[in-house]
Amino acid sequence: MAPFELGVVVEVFGLARPELGGLLAAPWYGLKVCADRPGAALDAVGGFALTARHGLDDLAAADTVVIPGVRNAFSGEVSPGLVEALRTAHERGARIVSICSGAFALAAAGLLDDKEATTHWRYAELLQQRHPRVRVNPDVLYVDNGDVLTSAGSAAGIDLCLHLVRRDHGAKVANSVARRFVVAPHRDGGQAQFIEAAVRPVEEDEDGIARSMQWALDHLSDPLTVSVLARAARMSDRSYLRHFTARNGTSPMRWVVTQRIAASLALLEAPEGSVEEIAAAVGFESAATFRHHFGRVMRTSPTAYRRSFGRGVA
């Protein structure tokens, strides 16, 4: 097994969260790590072993099941016991989630038939060939079908787990978990930005990029352009655009839009403020522009998000 993906699940759902305090409107998660043979050593990549205390009966009875990977995506082998447990859990109404190659287990159980799904870009073509009823999308970080969710490889599991926290507990809680994780609460873009990416040395003037990003987060409601950000970084527009894109895998303005959307989530969850007022508060020039970008990033509308996650909003 790959320990990183399992570690992501444990880190997000298994740690105590005293820092959340009164932010939680519902109890935090209870985590059980399950295996076909509880108590047996599970070989992990890197030359060590883990032992799971719980079996597939516990998995089948869970409210949310996360499959962080399969033993070997190329072999096509998925435990019949796991397939049965997944089907049982899904029939009970459980939410079924996969990270990276875990999508092969969901597909083997028939849970991805006629649904959009994703997996690591390295496995996408294989998943489509082996399970032709699955609509494989190799370009996204994760896909949310409501009761069945899939994510791309490795770190995309962080994105999906934070998305689950956001769905269950709201943006403020998800942002707090992301802060403890030391990651962005929401990443824009898809897997393509990470395929065959060149590794290049860090240059001294890149400290200006970090400085400009922090400055932008402190001034999201202000008019922000590449020129404005370049001045904050003490760089020319052309140099700033090149270094920012190389470092972050996206353009400065696309990143700004994503940060503005992230900042809007907590405001939408509060009962105060119209969509127009929230759009202005996070720096969008109009509510129409806000709705357009919100739909592209979140795959829903601000009003629908507020209806789902708003606290005390009718």
Side-chain angles (χ1 to χ4, degrees):
M1 60 160 291
F4 179 87
E5 288 81 354
L6 174 62
V8 166
V9 179
V10 174
E11 178 83 10
V12 173
F13 301 111
L15 294 186
R17 299 285 176 181
E19 72 273 14
L20 296 179
L23 291 178
L24 292 176
W28 194 243
Y29 308 92
L31 177 72
K32 293 182 178 180
V33 178
C34 305
D36 279 26
R37 294 175 292 122
L42 304 172
D43 291 335
V45 175
F48 62 98
L50 300 173
T51 302
R53 296 177 179 175
H54 304 280
L56 295 182
D57 288 344
D58 287 297
L59 184 147
D63 296 318
T64 297
V65 176
V66 185
I67 307 299
V70 296
R71 181 175 182 178
N72 185 343
F74 296 103
S75 72
E77 297 176 5
V78 178
S79 160
L82 176 58
V83 168
E84 181 180 354
L86 285 172
R87 289 172 176 164
T88 299
H90 186 253
E91 289 169 2
R92 285 183 42 257
R95 181 170 57 183
I96 312 297
V97 182
S98 70
I99 299 174
C100 195
S101 65
F104 286 84
L106 274 60
L111 304 185
L112 301 181
D113 287 354
D114 305 315
K115 290 183 174 70
E116 182 181 347
T118 194
T119 186
H120 193 290
W121 56 266
R122 184 169 175 244
Y123 304 135
E125 184 176 352
L126 178 63
L127 181 63
Q128 187 67 83
Q129 291 174 352
R130 190 172 294 160
H131 301 280
R133 290 185 60 183
V134 181
R135 301 195 303 273
V136 180
N137 184 346
D139 298 325
V140 295
L141 296 177
Y142 60 84
V143 174
D144 182 348
N145 287 300
D147 60 344
V148 178
L149 303 92
T150 54
S151 81
S154 300
I158 301 174
D159 297 287
L160 180 51
C161 289
L162 289 175
H163 172 70
L164 292 173
V165 173
R166 191 180 301 112
R167 270 183 44 173
D168 295 342
H169 297 284
K172 284 185 177 180
V173 172
N175 290 351
S176 178
V177 175
R179 190 176 306 115
R180 183 164 167 180
F181 227 119
V182 198
V183 297
H186 185 277
R187 287 195 297 167
D188 196 12
Q191 294 192 72
Q193 62 184 300
F194 304 109
I195 299 173
E196 297 297 332
V199 177
R200 56 181 193 82
V202 176
E203 300 178 17
E204 290 184 6
D205 61 0
E206 283 194 328
D207 286 344
I209 300 294
R211 183 171 57 248
S212 72
M213 293 170 74
Q214 183 58 56
W215 185 90
L217 292 175
D218 294 336
H219 297 82
L220 282 178
S221 61
D222 296 347
L224 297 177
T225 64
V226 171
S227 295
V228 169
L229 296 176
R231 284 198 299 273
R234 302 189 185 98
M235 298 168 66
S236 69
D237 291 8
R238 183 176 180 180
S239 179
Y240 181 80
L241 183 61
R242 176 167 59 86
H243 284 288
F244 188 101
T245 302
R247 177 171 179 168
N248 296 294
T250 188
S251 69
M253 298 317 299
R254 193 177 180 90
W255 177 83
V256 167
V257 165
T258 302
Q259 302 312 308
R260 284 172 166 164
I261 295 298
S264 75
L265 299 182
L267 300 178
L268 288 168
E269 291 177 16
E272 303 85 8
S274 65
V275 170
E276 289 75 13
E277 291 169 334
I278 293 172
V282 297
F284 288 104
E285 59 187 19
S286 69
T289 303
F290 175 44
R291 290 188 181 96
H292 168 76
H293 289 296
F294 195 96
R296 179 182 60 81
V297 172
M298 300 299 295
R299 297 190 176 187
T300 188
S301 68
T303 301
Y305 181 90
R306 168 170 269 182
R307 191 160 48 240
S308 297
F309 300 111
R311 311 297 186 206
V313 179

